[in-house]
Amino acid sequence: MLQSIRERAQGVVAWFIVALISVPFALFGINSYLGGGSESVAAVVNGDEISQRDFENGYRDFRQNLRQRLGENYRPEMIDEAQLRQEVLQIMIRNRLLVQKSKDLGLRVGDEQVKQVIASLPGFQVGGRFNQEAFERGVRLQGLTPAGFVEEVRQGLVSEQISKAVVNSEFTTRSELESLVSLRLQQREFEYLTVPAATFLANVQVSDEAVATYYAAHQNEYMAPERVKIQYLDLDVASIAKTLKADDEALQAYYDQNQSQYRTAEERRASHILIPLEEGADEATAQKAEADANAALLRVKSGEDFADLAKALSKDPGSAEEGGDLGYFEAGVMESTFDESVFSLAVGEVSNLVRTPFGFHIIKLTDIRESTGKSFEDVRQEIEQAYLKSEAERLFYEYAERLGNIAYEEPDSLQPAADALGLQIKESDWLSRDGGEGILAAPKVINAAFSEDVMVSGNNSEAIELNAEHIMVLRVVDHEESAIRPLEEVSSTIKDQLRISQAIEQARKQGAEWVAKLNQGETLETVAAELGVSVAPRKQINRDEQTIPAELVKHVFVMPRPESDALIYDQVALASGDLALLALHTVTDGKLEQANDLGGDAALNEALQRSRGKTYFQHMQGNLRASADVNITAQTER
């Protein structure tokens, strides 16, 4: 169907079809925003709905947090979108179950605690202090109302209560601490010898018939993957920037337009007295508030100390105790009327009454920090780099759109797009579905190369966004189907596999015989002499031993404890292919008085409690989920 559309959707007809299709989609979107129809639901948890809007907001926040935590390691193409959406929904369901359980248990969080948490969030602070406008703006950006955000914080705190209640409810006994220290600080004394893998490989011969037989029975293991060769055009901001030049006039204009990046803005420090008045208050209430504000202003102008009056009269909880001090702030941070007044005052001057949506203010300007920074000449090189990058970014989006359009309109070749944009067509080596190197390793690139429209129909791909500043268009120029690799091509690989496999089996059998001899009275020294190897010096180790192979350490600590003076013998295959024969001599348990080696009694006790508490909390969440009535719609899928 896509090919049919591609072949027919050309010129004016194509735009006409697009216009027709756009109308119902546009109306559908408008209807959604105007609230037409009931709001869709992502899941219902014990009768409690998680709306599609809440889910989308939660998913967006999760993605943003994921991007921030991973930083430069964030790779959107590596994310399975459908799986991540389902996982986020499951998290939201678990959180909703915790909120429900908290309500059943009667857990509550007071208004004051919620206010303290919100006031402490950096995103709602200006100059280190909570700012109401910043709060309201930040909440709106999340698609919430202030009341809705407050309720979300309250629910989060309630859920945290039940988590802490379960996790902190556990305790440990002295015997449990002793057992932990005994095992964790246990030491084992042993000796061993190593039989090289070559000892066993030397005795293994694999015939051509054996190779052919194995190949016939395991042909699926020797499939040559389907592969393609591609031609591609890639466009990125850095490459565009290298082709650009800038004159002094353009650079000076860029500097003037972006002075905030090179100079600090003027900052003003002010104090205020707030007589609050809610929006929509009746006339009588407004007159009372204005009268109180005028009375306070008269006292200020009569010479009373501004800070003392602010402490006594101001109703701003964030600044009253500090004498009304709001700290330093730039123009544009405060409410517009308040801001305009502050930046019209001289230092020490007091304003007349200033009315804002919060009430009546009396403002005193206490200090001014002048604008500082670097001159144009100081940052000319930096300005040039920034300007060229800015211009390249502007051109990038224009070129990217042209590249995508030309590649679509001329689907049989990349040459028209290359000629129009001055780009060079590049060609890859063979690529399998496992990808290549560099940008050819991106899953988006491989998915496009092996898509039906590109690989089978022979069309150019759509523009592929590798990152925000790099796109690619590709086409397949050669294709090989997956096929069984011929025997002669893989025979040496099969022969090596069979030799190693038979050598491992021979080592296991021979090792068992040597262990039997050791258990019958032979010594490691005798066996070592027979094999022409040496026994490693007897060594006492703990679980953190780093000087011998990890698989050897692990095996030593799972061997049974020796009884009396009898030794315990065993064998273990090493990752190198060698075989080790072990003789375990003694086991020395850790003592509680050694607990300081693990951080001390208190730290161990806390760690055990926390570990067990988290386990119980996970069990509780699992039980809540298992017994819950949860109905998930298909609208989480995209």
Side-chain angles (χ1 to χ4, degrees), residues 442-638:
K444 288 182 179 180
V445 173
I446 299 304
N447 290 340
F450 284 89
S451 68
E452 180 178 354
D453 192 42
V454 175
M455 184 177 68
V456 179
S457 301
N459 296 308
N460 296 332
S461 73
E462 295 181 351
I464 302 165
E465 183 180 341
L466 300 173
N467 58 51
E469 298 182 346
H470 196 173
I471 69 165
M472 172 198 285
V473 171
L474 62 85
R475 65 178 293 98
V476 170
V477 293
D478 205 352
H479 173 222
E480 283 187 357
E481 294 283 358
S482 176
I484 298 173
R485 297 164 68 186
L487 175 59
E488 50 273 19
E489 185 179 323
V490 298
S491 60
S492 62
T493 301
I494 295 176
K495 184 170 287 190
D496 289 341
Q497 287 178 325
L498 293 177
R499 288 186 69 228
I500 292 171
S501 150
Q502 291 178 27
I504 290 173
E505 179 59 22
Q506 187 180 109
R508 186 189 65 78
K509 291 180 179 178
Q510 188 63 59
E513 292 177 9
W514 286 327
V515 170
K517 288 182 179 181
L518 291 168
N519 285 327
Q520 292 169 6
E522 290 271 11
T523 65
L524 277 183
E525 287 74 14
T526 304
V527 174
E530 292 176 4
L531 296 170
V533 298
S534 59
V535 178
R538 190 165 161 176
K539 186 178 182 68
Q540 188 174 57
I541 65 171
N542 58 32
R543 297 177 188 273
D544 299 322
E545 179 64 42
Q546 301 290 323
T547 62
I548 59 178
E551 59 268 33
L552 193 55
V553 175
K554 181 178 179 180
H555 197 81
V556 167
F557 278 90
V558 298
M559 291 172 66
R561 185 186 296 263
E563 295 181 5
S564 186
D565 294 330
L567 303 185
I568 301 294
Y569 297 101
D570 208 348
Q571 62 167 319
V572 59
L574 304 181
S576 62
D578 298 340
L579 179 74
L581 297 176
L582 302 81
L584 178 59
H585 288 263
T586 62
V587 175
T588 304
D589 292 328
K591 303 296 182 183
L592 190 57
E593 50 266 26
Q594 297 175 284
N596 285 337
D597 294 344
L598 298 174
D601 290 8
L604 286 175
N605 188 64
E606 182 181 350
L608 277 174
Q609 290 178 357
R610 186 168 56 249
S611 175
R612 185 177 295 171
K614 286 182 178 178
T615 300
Y616 285 165
F617 183 64
Q618 290 170 357
H619 287 327
M620 187 197 78
Q621 287 182 300
N623 291 336
L624 288 175
R625 183 66 172 85
S627 61
D629 179 12
V630 178
N631 180 28
I632 299 176
T633 72
Q635 297 193 42
T636 57
E637 300 173 0
R638 283 291 174 91

Side-chain angles (χ1 to χ4, degrees), residues 40-41 105 168 177 265 310 394 432 435 476 556 622:
S40 57
V41 175
L105 295 174
N168 296 334
L177 288 177
R394 180 181 63 79
S432 71
V476 170
V556 167

Side-chain angles (χ1 to χ4, degrees), residues 7 117 128 158 199 249 280 305 449 512 525 586 594:
E7 292 172 351
V117 169
V158 170
T199 303
E249 184 179 351
D305 184 75
E525 287 74 14
T586 62
Q594 297 175 284

